[in-house]
């Protein structure tokens, strides 16, 4: 039962830290645009990147 003296405050501290991290992420705008990132990942780019356009030269 002595271990409960350590585990209960530790669990409360970790829970509070998680809550504070979540509230900080809300305040900093992490959840403002949930749809934009998903559409950018699957959107078809009109121009291929420059790295794909260059062909290696053979001598």
């Amino acid at each position: 039962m002595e271990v409960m003296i350590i585990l209960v405050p530790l669990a409360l501290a970790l829970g509070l830290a998680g809550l504070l991290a979540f509230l900080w992420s809300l305040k900093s705008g992490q959840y403002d645009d949930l749809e934009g990132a998903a559409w950018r990942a699957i959107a078809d780019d009109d121009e291929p990147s420059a790295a794909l356009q260059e062909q290696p030269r053979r001598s």
Side-chain angles (χ1 to χ4, degrees):
M1 289 303 271
E2 292 102 18
V3 75
M4 295 298 281
I5 295 171
I6 296 171
L7 290 180
V8 170
L10 182 65
L12 291 174
L14 287 175
L16 181 63
L19 178 64
L20 291 175
F22 176 70
L23 292 175
W24 171 80
S25 68
L26 283 177
K27 187 178 178 182
S28 67
Q30 293 290 320
Y31 301 107
D32 283 347
D33 184 20
L34 296 177
E35 296 290 324
W39 284 108
R40 279 192 301 274
I42 61 173
D44 186 25
D45 294 335
D46 293 332
E47 299 176 17
S49 67
L52 294 176
Q53 290 178 349
E54 296 180 15
Q55 297 294 326
R57 298 180 189 207
R58 297 182 182 173
S59 32

